């Protein structure tokens, strides 16, 4: 479509208009569907138990301050390990993704080419996630919670370290890339894309289910306070912690490229803590489940 535009027309501008039009149209459809469901589905006794719905509305969600959440995490090794998983995931993803996108922009300086690559990337993420969702249940049934919880950090560790190796030792990998008909930069971009695709698909199919399953053997009070503490401390710290680390390193060494060796080292340290937390939580989870069943 962009190739058939007349001279003088900005291809990226046209792409942006079509993309924004699609976003507005999709948003309108979602709002209409949501409004229909609230008026006709949620009020229909055949679809939703109105008594349970009324009880659910009466329940107040537990809200904990940052101080209370920190105290609860200190006092509960189980929840502390669970928070470590969430924090480690958020930081690891952020560390690799920012470096990958800087390489991606270098490989695709044209906005249209960049947009096309990201479109293919999103399609691949959806397809791989669907496959992983189908495999996830089999992994839980055959190998158990502990193995399933280790899949995500293992994927991030292998692909993340491969990406950083291609970035740091580009001259060494140049002959290999040439034999494959590409460049070290493009090879790093492809490996980084694989890292993001696999890590996101593992999150949706294994990491999130593992996190929710970990709350099952807890009593109601610990379950409620634990979720609140992880939401208050774990999620924000995981998302912002990686960005803060990169800002400090860029300020200290001058650029993201110069900070890459430090980022690779920090990723390795985070993965060590992540695996230690998984091993500890796996033992605690199995003991708690055995106690609950007995």
């Amino acid at each position: 479509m962009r190739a058939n535009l007349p001279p003088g027309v900005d291809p990226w501008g046209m792409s942006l208009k079509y993309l924004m039009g699609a976003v507005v149209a999709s948003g309108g459809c979602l709002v209409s569907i949501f409004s229909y469901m609230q008026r006709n589905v949620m009020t229909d006794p055949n679809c939703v138990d109105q008594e349970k719905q009324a009880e659910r509305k009466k329940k107040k969600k537990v809200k904990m301050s940052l101080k209370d959440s920190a105290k609860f995490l200190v006092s509960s090794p189980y929840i502390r390990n669970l928070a470590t998983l969430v924090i480690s995931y958020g930081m690891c993803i952020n560390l690799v993704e920012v470096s990958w996108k800087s390489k991606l922009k270098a490989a695709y300086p044209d906005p249209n080419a960049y947009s096309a690559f990201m479109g293919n990337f999103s399609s691949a993420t959806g397809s791989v996630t669907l496959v992983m969702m189908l495999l996830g249940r089999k992994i839980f049934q055959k190998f158990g919670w502990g193995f399933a919880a280790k899949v995500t950090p293992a994927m991030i560790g292998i692909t993340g370290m491969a990406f950083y190796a291609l970035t740091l030792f580009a001259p060494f990998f140049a002959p290999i890339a040439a034999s494959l008909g590409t460049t070290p930069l493009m090879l790093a971009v492809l490996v980084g894309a694989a890292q993001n695709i696999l890590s996101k698909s593992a999150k949706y199919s294994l990491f999130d289910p593992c996190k929710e399953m970990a709350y099952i053997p807890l009593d109601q009070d610990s379950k409620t306070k634990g979720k609140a503490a992880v939401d208050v401390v774990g999620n924000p710290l995981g998302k912002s912690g990686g960005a803060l680390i990169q800002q400090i390193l860029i300020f200290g060494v001058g650029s993201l490229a110069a900070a890459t060796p430090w980022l690779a080292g920090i990723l390795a340290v985070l993965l060590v803590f992540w695996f230690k937390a998984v091993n500890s939580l796996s033992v605690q989870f199995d003991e708690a489940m055995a106690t609950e069943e007995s």
Side-chain angles (χ1 to χ4, degrees), residues 44-272:
D44 187 352
N46 295 321
C47 298
V48 179
D49 190 325
Q50 299 302 310
E51 292 183 1
K52 289 184 178 180
Q53 186 72 4
E55 291 177 2
R56 193 176 293 114
K57 288 181 179 180
K58 290 179 181 179
K59 290 182 179 179
K60 292 184 178 180
K61 186 177 180 180
V62 175
K63 294 182 179 180
M64 297 176 69
S65 65
L66 182 61
K67 183 179 179 181
D68 293 336
S69 300
K71 284 183 178 179
F72 189 75
L73 290 177
V74 170
S75 64
S76 174
Y78 191 96
I79 299 299
R80 186 168 63 247
N81 285 329
L82 190 55
T84 301
L85 268 62
V86 175
I87 294 169
S88 298
Y89 176 84
M91 286 188 172
C92 289
I93 285 294
N94 189 277
L95 291 178
V96 180
E97 188 171 11
V98 172
S99 298
W100 170 64
K101 285 188 175 178
S102 70
K103 295 295 181 183
L104 182 59
K105 288 180 181 179
Y108 294 99
D110 179 59
N112 281 306
Y114 182 91
S115 177
F117 182 91
M118 291 305 294
N120 293 330
F121 169 79
S122 298
S123 300
T125 302
S127 300
V128 175
T129 300
L130 179 61
V131 174
M132 288 294 293
M133 293 289 285
L134 297 174
L135 292 175
R137 185 178 178 182
K138 299 293 184 182
I139 292 174
F140 278 110
Q141 289 177 341
K142 188 171 183 179
F143 301 104
W145 187 94
F147 181 89
K150 292 176 183 176
V151 171
T152 305
M155 281 188 174
I156 293 177
I158 294 170
T159 55
M161 288 304 175
F163 167 75
Y164 279 127
L166 287 165
T167 302
L168 293 170
F169 308 108
F172 174 81
F173 290 101
I176 300 174
S179 66
L180 297 173
T182 185
T183 63
L185 174 61
M186 187 56 65
L187 197 59
V189 167
L190 294 176
V191 172
Q195 189 275 336
N196 276 266
I197 291 170
L198 292 174
S199 59
K200 285 181 171 61
S201 63
K203 178 185 186 298
Y204 300 134
S205 60
L206 295 171
F207 182 82
D208 286 345
C210 280
K211 183 182 70 173
E212 296 304 317
M213 287 173 63
Y215 292 111
I216 293 175
L218 299 178
D219 58 81
Q220 189 60 41
D221 184 61
S222 297
K223 187 182 299 183
T224 305
K225 289 184 178 179
K227 285 186 176 183
V230 171
D231 288 341
V232 171
V233 176
N235 288 324
L237 186 57
K239 292 175 182 177
S240 60
L244 180 61
I245 290 172
Q246 291 176 87
Q247 289 174 2
I248 293 173
L249 288 174
I250 291 171
F251 180 78
V253 300
S255 68
L256 183 61
T260 301
W262 294 94
L263 294 175
I266 293 171
L267 177 66
V269 171
L270 288 171
L271 288 169
V272 169

